Amino acid sequence: MIKGNLLYEGKAKCVYETDNPNELLVYFKDDATAGNGAKHGTIQDKGIINNKISTYFFKLLKDRGIKTHFLETVSKREMLIRRLDMIKLEIIVRNIVAGSLVKRLGLPEGTPLAAPIIEYDYKSDELGDPMLNRWHIMALKLASIDEINEIEHISLSVNAIMRELLKAKNVELVDFKLEFGRDKDGTIFLADEISPDNCRFWDADTHEKLDKDRFRQDLGGVEEAYQEMLNRLTM
Ligand code: TMP
């Protein structure tokens, strides 16, 4: 595999072309942002840990029948992925009230939800990723109704698989964000990453935060929390 041109640089990752037109290389950076880019920082070795944690979850999900863009780990910070046409949506799944839901619903952080909630954000930096519902998604032709149904089905399966696994590691899956894309045939694949950057993980006993909220909320112990999550998953 030959690393080609930089195709895209995001807040936490760079994506490169390869000599295979159907495959891309992702490089995981240590850069961190919060509040739609208002806060910038670095989390030492985050890229290495997120590559490992994402690999762990993508392999777990593949074993459970979920189609993901993951192909193989190339180096400490690099992952080979399937090239997809990305759907401009962030799919958020919530099990416990936290983050933006605290303000929106006026419920205390940590309130358990009777059933999972699925939300959509439109991926648009200029607009600040506004929340959408399935009617907006269809009207804007971001995805068809069949695709929305499939994305919701996969997202709930991912939630169930991850919750079960994390329970055995004494971790609660509070909420998380997923992204999806289509291959040339229109098949939907889970994409992006699954890491403490885009999931909320709490210790099941103490509710200690083991995710990016430590950076967002200046709680300290950010690097230690990412390392702790990797240890719990792999040890
Ligand atoms: P929120 O409570 O801030 O809406 O976030 C819900 C979950 O989605 C949380 O695990 C963080 C994740 N998330 C991202 O990964 N990227 C984003 O841009 C947003 C808004 C949330």
Side-chain angles (χ1 to χ4, degrees), residues 90 92 94 98-100 175-177 197-200 216:
E90 297 188 339
I92 292 165
R94 301 178 186 273
S100 62
D175 57 33
F176 57 96
K177 182 263 297 181
D197 271 15
N198 64 323
C199 302
R200 286 196 173 97
R216 294 187 189 102

Side-chain angles (χ1 to χ4, degrees), residues 164-186:
E164 185 197 6
L165 180 280
L166 288 164
K167 201 173 168 194
K169 314 284 182 184
N170 208 39
V171 173
E172 272 181 331
L173 180 59
V174 175
D175 57 33
F176 57 96
K177 182 263 297 181
L178 300 176
E179 295 185 27
F180 292 85
R182 309 173 184 94
D183 73 0
K184 277 188 206 147
D185 303 328

Side-chain angles (χ1 to χ4, degrees), residues 46-58:
K46 172 170 84 77
I48 297 171
I49 293 176
N50 281 359
N51 192 20
K52 285 188 181 154
I53 293 179
S54 291
T55 298
Y56 179 92
F57 280 122
F58 282 139

